[in-house]
Amino acid sequence: MSESVLVLPKAAVLGKSHTSGWYVWRGIFTLLLLAGAYATYVRFTAGLGGVTNLSDHFPWGIWVGFDVLCGVGLAAGGFTLVAAVHIFNIERYKPIVRPAVLTAFLGYILVVVALLFDLGRPWNIWHPLIMWNPRSVMFEVAWCVTLYSTVLALEFAPAVFERLEWKRTLASLRVISIPLVIAGVLLSTLHQSSLGSLFLIVPRKLYPLWYSPMLPVMFFVSAVCAGLAMTIFESWHSSRAFGRQLEMPLLNGMARLLAVLLAVNLTIRFLDLLHRDALRLLLENRTETWLFALESALMLIPTVLLFSRRVRGNPTSLYFMALLVLFGFIANRLNVSITGMEAGSGVHYIPRWTEVAVTLAICALGFAVFRWAVLNLPVFEEKE
Amino acid sequence: MCIGCRACEQGCAQRWNLPWNETIGAEERLSAHKLTTITTHDGRYSRRLCMHCAEPTCVSVCPVGALQKTAFGPVVYDANKCMGCRYCMTACPFQVPVYEWNKRVPRVRKCDMCRDRQAAGKPTACAEACPTGATSCGDRDTLIAEAKRRMTASPNDYYPQIYGLKEVGGTSVLMLSAVPFDQLGLRTDLPGQPLPGLTWAALAHVPDVVSVGGVLLGGIWWITHRREDVARAEGGGKEPRS
């Protein structure tokens, strides 16, 4: 990690004059933040009942299903790329490690922000650190997320210290970098799979197309897929937003790995249904069947097409494949946490607009901070 | 034996300082202001309250140990520990814990089997209020013996099973009925094993992942970077790693 490699984007980008598109995005951003601010006010004055459609029979909604489960999964690109470069020593991926770590770090911060909304008593969020219950999956997730966020902060810290030119601090971080990387990969493996283990406790509530003793394994594999897809997605958008060239050979190689992992993912899902004798459920004409079909199709299309060199080689088709994987992943997490739980709990849940407003405002903030960091810190590698 | 008079509901409300009137009585579901309820099923009555499982799911899932099973049977809640993740509500197989959705400082609410009254040697408020003896309170083994005595004495009046004897490993609240339990809206598809074993099966692998994973990752790192060192020692073209 020599300091001279990573620099700020060209000054030309910073000084670009504002187009009409810029004003439209700025307007949408402001609207989302205003709606989010209103929902925040109601949330913390009137309680969860004032802004959510949650109920005694349906205590977890989109703040858990989307903000937390999807947020953590989409941030999995961080540990995947860190492992590829620093453990497996695949040096050519080095240029995209830092943006992936930044995405992951921001992702985890946003997950914690979302938790502050969702927890009934958010000021007690630190309690798992001193009040232990090692039999609880939630306890393990709380510890892993806390520790891993610290690891991510330390992994991204060199970008900040390079900017500040704190050479001594940089050197001391380099000494602990390998143990840090290994700890990060282990912690990620643990909590990505544990988010699936959370649902092992509801065998009679979660619809059997999703309930499986293999949930931890499935959550881990699909999170790695989502993390890689997110890295492709974010490289594509960064290249457009900051006028950078797309690292196509790199992304091509990553898409290949993604194709293999997606195939592994689908194989596990299929074998799981087969061994649990749950394939026959696919013949039932129920909402769950169609949602399962949607989720599977979203994953199956990129799995097949990404094996084609032409699809991988074209930036636009590669981007759309990554998008399908992301949608398939989100559909899966929402099915496990929300739609798959409806029949078992006997109530129908549709998020209230204020729940959606908080989620969108948090996402918008994430994009804004990412943009700020890319413009002000050495995140992307300079093109020769 | 239950005549649906809702005296148990009123006794419970009084004990918790909760309001009770005809409207609340007609709600027939557990909520933050109703910790036990009579439910009506085709002219038959049943009751809902915390089942106080022998190996409670809620106690196992709570990340901060806010829920505890006490030695005498009650499963109790400590709001000061609770961070409000509501995993207990998601996980409970009987859908018992309820939430104060409209409070700024919300609590989980649930029946605590009148822990304080029990400690003082008194029956629960609901059992005391019951005019017909449909709810009674006592040692679990004694109650099981009494249930079996009734079932043998008048086999035509009772469905020959005790609800709560085996469900999710057994509960401290037991129910008798004249009809199969699913006709009273009770879940009859619950496994006979306690649910906490399901998540423990996954959690038990955490030390394996850490130890095997740590060694594996360290090993891979050593091998992949060793190649570089060798290449450098032999005068290969690769830059030394920083």
Side-chain angles (χ1 to χ4, degrees), chain A residues 69-129:
Chain A
L69 291 187
C70 294
V72 169
L74 294 174
F79 91 89
T80 312
L81 279 167
V82 164
V85 171
H86 295 297
I87 306 243
F88 290 88
N89 202 15
I90 312 174
E91 292 246 348
R92 61 198 185 101
Y93 288 139
K94 211 166 175 178
I96 44 177
V97 166
R98 215 170 250 189
V101 169
L102 174 63
T103 312
F105 183 46
L106 289 179
Y108 277 82
I109 291 181
L110 297 180
V111 165
V112 173
V113 171
L115 274 175
L116 294 178
F117 279 85
D118 186 73
L119 291 178
R121 301 169 160 239
W123 49 90
N124 288 346
I125 193 170
W126 55 277
H127 275 183
L129 300 182

Side-chain angles (χ1 to χ4, degrees), chain A residues 1-2 44-50 52 54-60 85-89 91 94 118-125 127-128 131-140 174 178 182 185-186 189-190 197-205 211 216 341 344-345, chain B residues 29-32 55 57 59-65 77 79-87 89-93 95 97-99 101-107 187 189-191 195-200 202-203 206 209-210 213-214 217-218 220-221 224-225 228 238 242:
Chain A
M1 272 188 228
S2 64
F44 288 102
T45 48
L48 284 163
T52 69
L54 299 174
S55 62
D56 290 330
H57 284 190
F58 213 87
W60 283 356
V85 171
H86 295 297
I87 306 243
F88 290 88
N89 202 15
E91 292 246 348
K94 211 166 175 178
D118 186 73
L119 291 178
R121 301 169 160 239
W123 49 90
N124 288 346
I125 193 170
H127 275 183
M131 301 170 184
W132 287 27
N133 178 15
R135 286 178 67 84
S136 165
V137 182
M138 190 72 86
F139 168 78
E140 191 228 318
R174 205 164 295 145
I178 289 304
I182 292 178
V185 175
L186 290 177
T189 310
L190 287 178
S197 310
L198 282 179
F199 294 89
L200 290 177
I201 205 83
V202 287
R204 295 296 181 270
K205 282 187 191 170
Y211 183 85
M341 297 279 280
S345 60
Chain B
R29 61 180 192 85
L30 300 180
S31 66
E55 272 189 55
T57 314
V59 171
S60 93
V61 300
C62 180
V64 293
Y77 167 74
N80 291 325
K81 286 186 173 178
C82 180
M83 61 177 190
C85 71
R86 311 187 296 284
Y87 193 17
M89 302 175 66
T90 298
C92 174
Q95 290 204 324
V98 289
Y99 211 58
W101 293 104
N102 295 313
K103 289 220 173 140
R104 252 186 257 190
V105 185
R107 284 171 299 180
R187 292 201 85 126
D189 61 347
L190 296 172
L195 298 182
L198 294 169
T199 37
W200 186 245
L203 280 172
V206 169
V209 172
V210 173
L217 290 171
I220 294 170
W221 171 79
T224 54
H225 288 75
E228 242 175 51
K238 257 199 152 180
S242 51

Side-chain angles (χ1 to χ4, degrees), chain A residues 338-370:
Chain A
I338 295 175
T339 39
M341 297 279 280
E342 288 197 319
S345 60
V347 289
H348 186 48
Y349 162 83
I350 294 215
R352 206 183 289 184
W353 78 266
T354 33
E355 286 179 84
V356 181
V358 167
T359 295
L360 289 178
I362 291 177
C363 291
L365 271 179
F367 277 103
V369 178
F370 186 84

